[in-house]
Amino acid sequence: MEFSAQERMFASGEEFLYLECSSCGSIQIKDVPDNLSSYYSGSQYYSFVPLVRSGSLASLLKKIRLTLFLKLKLSKFAPEVYGYWLQKVCTKLDASIADVGCGNGQLLYEMHAGGFKKLVGFDPFLPAGVSIADGIELKSTDLASSQEKFDLIMYHHAFEHLVDPEQELITCYDKLNPKGRLLLRLPVADAQVWKDKRELWVQLDAPRHLGIPSVSGLKHLAGKCGFEVEEVEFDSTEFQFWGTELYEAGLPLDLRHRERFSDLQILEFKQKALRYNQEGKGDQICMYLQRKD
């Protein structure tokens, strides 16, 4: 099935054709724009806002917090940025970790502040490679260009931006150490909000999101490329509702417009998101995979 979707984040109104698989429900852009990099326009795009650094005291507190979380397994000490999925994929601070689609490197910076030592970021939309801290290199290339091997490779809302996801999974298999893990966090076409709102769904995000798989479609592809799916966890948030409502109102995705919604509305959105996650119809997932050896 073919349908048309507009660029709505910056409200340019440009139209793009997408295809929806009649078998598994996955979504794929029909033609990748030649000027794709122009849709990741520097400071306008959320991944490339200035890095927020921590002072020495804040870094010390983050190290203490992470130690309490990992060693004592106290969930109340889970780091806000990367807590809930971390225990399932990596608890060793000396593990080699790659973040693909790292943007400004904020996630890696927070992990480094917590005590992780071997961190690399990859993002071809970075203007140039840069070291953002001792032990954190951000490279303006893709994963395939690296000669390194990793214990964990992560894609935090980056996998849906890939031109060839199957080839990327093959690359991940090659770049992981034996029994290495792969973490995919991304929107999925199983979302009830997609079924209800269609082209207005905020995470359709044309044309940046080149492909949004269904859970079944992604599982099949991962297995084909040599991965075992350990767990799928729906982790959608209230964003799916207030972002979509902004698009319904013809507004761009600007955090200032979030103030249109009352605290009560946001609370109701959060409760609805939790319910959708429990029912397996939230709009994004965490998929935990391990390389088969």
Side-chain angles (χ1 to χ4, degrees), residues 58-116:
S59 294
L60 175 61
L61 292 174
K62 288 176 180 179
K63 281 184 172 65
I64 295 171
R65 179 177 185 172
L66 184 63
T67 299
L68 292 172
F69 176 58
L70 293 181
K71 301 298 183 183
L72 303 180
K73 302 186 185 302
L74 299 175
S75 58
K76 67 179 180 179
F77 291 106
E80 294 178 9
V81 178
Y82 58 93
Y84 71 93
W85 47 263
L86 179 63
Q87 282 185 328
K88 298 182 180 182
V89 291
C90 189
T91 58
K92 297 180 179 179
L93 298 181
D94 62 350
S96 54
I97 301 174
D99 184 16
V100 184
C102 63
N104 66 357
Q106 190 70 55
L107 172 60
L108 292 175
Y109 183 85
E110 296 300 325
M111 294 179 72
H112 180 265
F116 284 92

Side-chain angles (χ1 to χ4, degrees), residues 9-48:
M9 179 181 285
F10 304 127
S12 74
E14 293 171 83
E15 296 275 350
F16 302 90
L17 292 177
Y18 277 77
L19 302 173
E20 183 178 7
C21 178
S22 60
S23 176
C24 72
S26 297
I27 304 164
Q28 183 73 38
I29 199 168
K30 187 174 183 179
D31 298 301
V32 178
D34 293 333
N35 61 333
L36 187 60
S37 62
S38 67
Y39 297 97
Y40 298 86
S41 50
S43 61
Q44 293 185 66
Y45 191 63
Y46 71 93
S47 290
F48 298 111

Side-chain angles (χ1 to χ4, degrees), residues 96-144:
S96 54
I97 301 174
D99 184 16
V100 184
C102 63
N104 66 357
Q106 190 70 55
L107 172 60
L108 292 175
Y109 183 85
E110 296 300 325
M111 294 179 72
H112 180 265
F116 284 92
K117 300 176 178 67
K118 301 176 183 177
L119 305 169
V120 181
F122 297 91
D123 200 318
F125 295 111
L126 284 169
V130 63
S131 174
I132 59 172
D134 184 24
I136 314 178
E137 294 291 330
L138 305 186
K139 302 185 178 183
S140 59
T141 59
D142 56 20
L143 179 65

Side-chain angles (χ1 to χ4, degrees), residues 241-258:
F241 304 117
W242 67 259
T244 299
E245 287 202 14
L246 289 183
Y247 287 175
E248 284 188 286
L251 296 170
L253 189 61
D254 189 321
L255 286 177
R256 290 172 295 183
H257 293 315
R258 186 180 181 278

